[in-house]
Amino acid sequence: MSAGVLIVGAGHAGGAMAAALRQSGYAGAITLVGAEPLPPYQRPPLSKAWLKGEAGPDDLLFRPPAFYSDKSIGLRLSTRVAAIDRTAAAVTLEDGQRLPYEHLVLATGSALRALNVPGVASTGVLELRTAADAERIKAALAPGRRLAVVGGGYVGLEVAASARSLGAQVVVIEREARLLARVASEPLSAYFARCHAGHGVEIILGASVTAFEERAGAVAGVRLADGRVIACDVAVVGIGALANDALAAAAGLECNDGIVVDERCRTSDPAIHAIGDCTRRPLPRYGRTMRLESVPNALEQAKQAAADICGRPAPKPEVPWFWSDQYDVRLQIVGLPFDVARQVVRGDANAGQFAVFHLDADNRLQAVEAVNAPGEFVAGRQWVGARQQVDPARLADTGLTVKQIIDPAAPGAAGKP
Amino acid sequence: MPKVTYIEHNGTRHEVDVPIGLSVMRGAVDNGVPGIDADCGGECACATCHVYVDPAWLARTGAPGEMEKSMLSFAAVTQENSRLSCQIPMTAELDGLVVSMPEGQH
Ligand SMILES: Cc1cc2nc3c(=O)[nH]c(=O)nc-3n(C[C@H](O)[C@H](O)[C@H](O)COP(=O)(O)OP(=O)(O)OC[C@H]3O[C@@H](n4cnc5c(N)ncnc54)[C@H](O)[C@@H]3O)c2cc1C
Ligand code: FES
């Protein structure tokens, strides 16, 4: 029997890859090697429902444990791949054992950027990437505990919201002049700043962290460049992620802030595919390449790679999308705001229900950020994919239904999608 | 255990046991039934778990909620009997449920 497909990284992308191969009828051996002790699980709930105690451990799993044995998918957990030997078509594990492959799929994900300041090793300075990290954060949060979140990105803000609902006091410290500076439009940043303040979160912008103060080895505060010290009992640091591409780079595969892949997830070695957070991928809709850190991206790339390995036609391209839950706010973003000439806000941010539409110079829809506006999100997904031209005035007119924006003949009551 | 029959767009049928309390979406993905993407894992955030409920079962699956209705309003090929399968929890009354999948979820 051939060595089959060996998948390195048993995260969302790796799990989806194994499932997609079997769905595509792949009959060879599949082995999933993962450094974490758990079978593939979903990270999004770790900062959301799971942290708040609204989801259990089984809800996290990508597939039930029996799935892997039923589908003859070999799982090697708590096992790290140390090197790739492309000439021999085999990988070496940390304990020196070698595993051969016919196709290798790298699904190594991303790792959190380290904050290299004094005191970062104190007890109570935590980060959130894995289920084990989430357990530590949950154990450290309780009513009255003071949490400092360093980094106002999506994960940080979700942790802040979940911690508030657990009764903790929360301060968010962000280096940029606004929250979500790299990943959201200004109206959206402003909305989330108001929303968190309204829930009692203190937000400190334009502040860089220079040290963690400690008392008897445990974190006691966060020191800022202006000399202020923000007292806390727990700190969660989330200042961005870096692609885990070292394994690929050491094997001589082309990397450029991520493993470089094509639209079929092929690397510079035809026997090796790469998928998920660890890749730099083409975005045909925008004529660019980019690193995307999202579950839909991991799933789309798993389908692309599985189709390629099975010699099937490529799946239909998808429009990148993302979601975030904070308090009772559901944010859904579709598309990427490249080449934007104007922004149109539809709805009322003060009422907590609105969408920011991003148009290019020809009024083609590039991206939509929808806050508690699922109709605008799903319409936006189709329009972005179709490069739909939209009339800005009609977009802003909430007297029209979403359908009526592009189809004046569409029926429907005002305010309804 | 109650059973659900999933019919792929190409007509392939899958009869699967779905534990009570689990969603109809989960029943499909946990058993590797193709045709349901479920990008968001059941949070009613993605509309990629779209199914058509066999008309005979519509009364028992009930009506979609507000958020689900909005999400379905633009799904590529929405019909009267469209639902997001992550929003249908399995019950004893749904034993024998038949759903079919659209051609694609994106
Ligand atoms: C708290 C949190 C909340 C999030 N919320 C959202 C959300 O709401 N929506 C959304 O779309 N995305 C969200 N994301 C992002 C999403 O989880 C990631 O994009 C997704 O997990 C990427 O999947 P992946 O398989 O590429 O990487 P990962 O899931 O990180 O999996 C990679 C795996 O590879 C393993 N690995 C690495 N190197 C090796 C090696 N050498 N040998 C063996 N194993 C190795 C790692 O241990 C890891 O288990 C969130 C992420 C976090 C952390
Ligand atoms: S799984 Fe995402 S809406 Fe049902």
Side-chain angles (χ1 to χ4, degrees):
Chain A
M1 192 168 155
S2 96
V5 180
L6 182 69
I7 304 168
V8 184
H12 222 121
M17 181 72 208
L21 280 169
R22 286 292 182 242
Q23 276 194 358
S24 307
Y26 183 78
I30 301 177
T31 309
L32 200 47
V33 182
E36 290 185 69
L38 291 175
Y41 61 90
Q42 321 191 49
R43 298 183 202 280
L46 295 178
S47 49
K48 309 179 182 77
W50 186 90
L51 192 54
K52 286 189 280 184
E54 290 167 4
D58 288 352
D59 299 321
L60 289 184
L61 291 182
F62 176 69
R63 296 288 183 269
F67 177 86
Y68 303 95
S69 43
D70 288 353
K71 301 285 175 194
S72 306
I73 296 165
L75 268 185
R76 302 274 308 246
L77 302 176
S78 303
T79 305
R80 186 174 283 276
V81 170
I84 304 167
D85 180 346
R86 287 165 58 193
T87 321
V91 302
T92 309
L93 305 182
E94 269 184 335
D95 66 2
Q97 203 190 330
R98 281 169 77 83
L99 300 177
Y101 64 81
E102 184 187 352
H103 298 280
L104 182 66
V105 180
L106 300 175
T108 48
S110 53
L112 293 169
R113 192 186 287 275
L115 179 59
N116 290 316
V117 299
V120 73
S122 335
T123 307
V125 179
L126 304 173
E127 59 174 31
L128 179 49
R129 180 74 202 170
T130 65
D133 295 334
E135 296 275 2
R136 281 187 280 272
I137 293 174
K138 199 176 195 173
L141 292 176
R145 297 275 283 178
R146 294 165 306 170
L147 166 69
V149 173
V150 178
Y154 286 114
V155 172
L157 293 183
E158 288 176 354
V159 170
S162 300
R164 284 301 293 150
S165 74
L166 293 171
Q169 293 174 33
V170 183
V171 181
V172 174
I173 300 163
E174 166 59 50
R175 191 185 57 183
E176 303 296 326
R178 60 183 176 100
L179 298 175
L180 304 169
R182 284 166 302 120
V183 288
S185 66
E186 286 192 22
L188 195 63
S189 292
Y191 171 76
F192 275 112
R194 282 200 307 278
C195 170
H196 280 274
H199 282 90
V201 172
E202 187 186 342
I203 297 167
I204 303 177
L205 299 171
S208 44
V209 170
T210 54
F212 291 96
E213 305 282 314
E214 50 186 307
R215 201 170 301 127
V219 67
V222 183
R223 178 173 290 275
L224 306 181
D226 65 7
R228 269 184 294 174
V229 175
I230 312 301
C232 68
D233 309 301
V234 196
V236 173
V237 179
I239 55 166
L242 299 167
N244 285 330
D245 59 6
L247 198 59
L253 298 176
E254 186 189 349
C255 294
N256 171 18
D257 177 29
I259 306 169
V260 175
V261 297
D262 67 11
E263 68 294 336
R264 291 181 293 184
C265 301
R266 290 184 175 179
T267 66
S268 51
D269 179 335
I272 307 181
H273 288 73
I275 57 175
D277 280 16
C278 64
T279 67
R280 166 169 295 274
R281 58 164 288 175
L283 289 167
R285 168 68 182 77
Y286 299 97
R288 285 175 169 77
T289 67
M290 206 181 154
R291 211 150 64 68
L292 293 178
E293 292 165 17
S294 72
V295 165
N297 172 61
L299 299 181
E300 183 189 21
Q301 288 194 300
K303 283 181 273 185
Q304 291 172 339
D308 195 41
I309 289 174
C310 295
R312 293 201 170 201
K316 187 175 149 224
E318 297 172 11
V319 179
W321 78 277
F322 185 80
W323 80 100
S324 175
D325 290 331
Q326 297 166 44
Y327 311 106
D328 51 358
V329 180
R330 157 68 50 86
L331 167 71
Q332 290 157 301
I333 299 182
V334 64
L336 295 160
F338 287 122
D339 310 318
V340 171
R342 69 167 101 199
Q343 286 178 3
V344 178
V345 178
R346 176 178 167 84
D348 180 4
N350 291 319
Q353 192 177 17
F354 68 103
V356 186
F357 287 79
H358 299 260
L359 307 178
D360 74 3
D362 298 324
N363 286 336
R364 287 184 202 285
L365 189 60
Q366 300 291 85
V368 183
E369 299 165 310
V371 172
N372 294 327
E376 277 76 357
F377 164 73
V378 278
R381 183 158 63 191
Q382 282 186 24
W383 295 346
V384 171
R387 298 172 179 270
Q388 176 76 41
Q389 278 180 308
V390 210
D391 176 352
R394 294 183 72 84
L395 260 186
D397 183 354
T398 49
L400 300 174
T401 65
V402 176
K403 282 200 166 113
Q404 284 170 332
I405 292 170
I406 57 159
D407 176 9
K416 288 274 158 60
Chain B
M1 208 184 288
K3 285 193 189 318
V4 175
T5 300
Y6 300 87
I7 307 175
E8 285 184 62
H9 190 71
N10 66 14
T12 311
R13 298 169 75 93
H14 303 261
E15 195 181 89
V16 165
D17 291 327
V18 184
I20 288 175
L22 237 57
S23 70
V24 170
M25 175 279 280
R26 266 286 177 187
V29 300
D30 284 2
N31 289 284
V33 175
I36 291 183
D37 288 352
D39 282 10
C40 76
E43 294 296 323
C44 201
C46 69
T48 66
C49 63
H50 179 192
V51 296
Y52 306 120
V53 174
D54 183 300
W57 291 89
L58 272 177
R60 270 167 284 182
T61 52
E66 274 312 308
M67 167 126 77
E68 185 185 344
K69 242 191 253 167
S70 305
M71 294 288 292
L72 278 169
S73 64
F74 251 90
V77 275
T78 307
Q79 302 174 2
E80 284 290 306
N81 57 342
S82 285
R83 287 294 308 270
L84 295 180
S85 55
C86 69
Q87 302 301 306
I88 309 175
M90 204 55 201
T91 59
E93 293 70 51
L94 289 180
D95 185 12
L97 175 67
V98 179
V99 298
S100 53
M101 274 81 86
E103 188 169 5
Q105 294 285 356
H106 279 267

